[in-house]
Amino acid sequence: MNPGDFQLPEPLSARRIVVAMSGGVDSSVVAALAARSGAETIGITLQLYDHGEAVGRAGSCCAGRDIRDARAVCDRLGIAHYVFDHASSFRTQVIDDFADEYLAGRTPIPCVKCNMGPKFTDLFALARDLGADCLATGHYVRRAVGPQGAELHRAADPARDQSYFLFATTAAQLDFLRFPLGGLPKPAVRALAAELDLAVAGKPDSQDICFVPDGDYASLVKKLRPEAADGGDIVDEAGRKLGEHRGLIHFTVGQRRGLEIGGAAEPYYVLRLDAATQQVIVGPRRALAVRAARLEGVNWLAGDYQGPMHAKVRSLAKPVPARFDGERLVFEEPEYGVAPGQAAVLYAADRVLGGGWIAGTERAE
């Protein structure tokens, strides 16, 4: 890598780079590369949640240990490090939203809401206030400059690509953001951390949603919204009762396990969740087939692009051919497991065209 990876005018010694630091290996390497470029470098960490008290485990994003790790890296690099308390906005924009989405029978993506709010909006403002020329992060995506300005592209390493979670990045934010790790595989980043003698080189990646203890999101939602524990009926599409459940929070569209329905001629899947009646509606897999989805809160990054595109409706889903008219996403072939509350992200090859939140679906049958 070289100083040009930050895509800033020369000389770099006259530039100021603010780095969003979580205390992990990725953002630490970004800070080291920024410092090595010759630019004045400042590390910023957002205190988003009291993880030690509420979660009872280490290793989550922005936990107390992670803040100490970020500070230690900055001390090692000889750069300034600031911590800002944004727990209030994180609670409102991410945690409360997470609980409310489950209560409404939708499947939330808190990482996107965090990027839309505390991480990019708040960090963006802080970096501007500090007079930065750019805000650099450790996300695995690529930023390219095309004929109409900055573009968002998938990471070179498909296994690490985070573009699905960054579809809501605005054009103004993309102009200011830099993602220097987007062209690297994770092993190369760890090797750089070791080469740079960073203490976090061997630190494991965070696997869970940062504010959810041990991955048990249902317990957290019930703690925040006790009514989430209200049970109800499991019914088929004709309204026939097939069983009972312990709360909508335990289900998502496309789910098969956990229904505990016996005597069926074929496996049942969750087709939809009705928050008004507390019903889980189930049916055979063929009933999951969706021909179109209605999107809300669309963020479009591709200007007047009119060419072919693919849509990704879950973080681990394979992109499939589709067309989009600004609100309605139509799949070339029936798509399965399309869940309200999730995001649909649109691509042209590796370029992110934009995306939106799935508000409703149209069945293929």
Side-chain angles (χ1 to χ4, degrees):
M1 300 187 67
N2 57 66
D5 291 306
F6 287 95
Q7 300 174 323
L8 292 173
E10 298 286 352
L12 270 296
S13 58
R15 304 298 166 189
R16 178 177 293 166
I17 299 173
V18 165
V19 180
M21 299 190 67
S22 67
V25 63
D26 298 324
S27 58
S28 296
V29 168
V30 170
L33 293 172
R36 194 166 69 173
S37 76
E40 179 187 358
T41 303
I42 300 172
I44 289 183
T45 302
L46 295 184
Q47 172 64 54
L48 300 177
Y49 200 70
D50 187 354
H51 290 73
E53 177 182 346
V55 180
R57 66 185 175 92
S60 298
C61 172
C62 302
R65 190 184 75 178
D66 294 326
I67 291 176
R68 291 194 295 272
D69 287 344
R71 176 162 292 140
V73 167
C74 289
D75 289 344
R76 168 76 177 80
L77 299 173
I79 64 175
H81 178 246
Y82 301 109
V83 178
F84 293 90
D85 184 353
H86 280 241
S88 177
S89 63
F90 186 75
R91 172 65 184 255
T92 301
Q93 298 175 43
V94 181
I95 300 177
D96 286 345
D97 177 83
F98 178 80
D100 291 339
E101 284 287 280
Y102 269 113
L103 279 185
R106 294 187 289 267
T107 305
I109 317 177
C111 294
V112 176
K113 295 295 179 71
C114 185
N115 288 331
M116 291 173 65
K119 281 193 176 173
F120 280 178
T121 303
D122 296 353
L123 278 171
F124 189 96
L126 288 170
R128 287 288 196 193
D129 288 345
L130 289 170
D133 291 284
C134 72
L135 171 64
T137 82
H139 288 99
Y140 285 84
V141 290
R142 289 178 294 154
R143 176 187 182 274
V145 179
Q148 296 178 319
E151 300 174 353
L152 187 63
H153 289 250
R154 275 192 259 241
D157 182 355
R160 301 297 304 181
D161 176 55
Q162 294 175 295
S163 61
Y164 178 84
F165 300 101
L166 297 178
F167 81 88
T169 305
T170 67
Q173 290 170 342
L174 196 54
D175 281 340
F176 193 58
L177 286 162
R178 300 295 187 273
F179 309 107
L181 304 186
L184 295 175
K186 184 59 176 263
V189 174
R190 288 202 179 277
L192 271 172
E195 174 190 325
L196 295 164
D197 196 26
L198 302 181
V200 296
K203 187 174 181 178
D205 294 332
S206 178
Q207 298 297 321
D208 300 325
I209 296 171
C210 68
F211 56 87
V212 178
D214 301 321
D216 186 4
Y217 67 85
S219 293
L220 175 67
V221 175
K222 284 187 285 188
K223 179 180 178 182
L224 296 173
R225 304 288 187 271
E227 62 270 32
D230 293 345
D233 294 335
I234 300 174
V235 302
D236 63 16
E237 292 189 276
R240 291 186 292 266
K241 181 177 176 178
L242 304 175
E244 297 180 349
H245 66 82
R246 298 178 293 108
L248 296 181
I249 56 173
H250 298 288
F251 302 94
T252 187
V253 171
Q255 180 176 329
R256 177 181 173 185
R257 294 183 177 181
L259 291 174
E260 300 178 358
I261 299 172
E266 58 183 313
Y268 278 120
Y269 296 79
V270 176
L271 303 181
R272 61 184 182 277
L273 304 172
D274 190 330
T277 63
Q278 286 293 109
Q279 289 183 331
V280 175
I281 298 91
V282 300
R285 185 177 186 277
R286 60 181 176 275
L288 278 172
V290 165
R291 67 176 178 180
R294 179 171 56 85
L295 304 188
E296 294 180 342
V298 173
N299 181 56
W300 190 250
L301 291 169
D304 57 0
Y305 179 85
Q306 299 291 328
M309 63 183 66
H310 286 68
K312 186 173 183 176
V313 296
R314 297 179 306 282
S315 62
L316 298 178
K318 179 182 178 181
V320 297
R323 65 180 188 275
F324 181 58
D325 64 8
E327 178 179 327
R328 189 166 171 266
L329 179 65
V330 181
F331 303 104
E332 192 172 291
E333 299 289 340
E335 181 69 356
Y336 293 80
V338 185
Q342 293 280 287
V345 181
L346 310 177
Y347 296 87
D350 284 339
R351 182 185 177 188
V352 178
L353 302 175
W357 300 101
I358 299 170
T361 59
E362 299 174 22
R363 282 179 56 164
E365 293 182 357

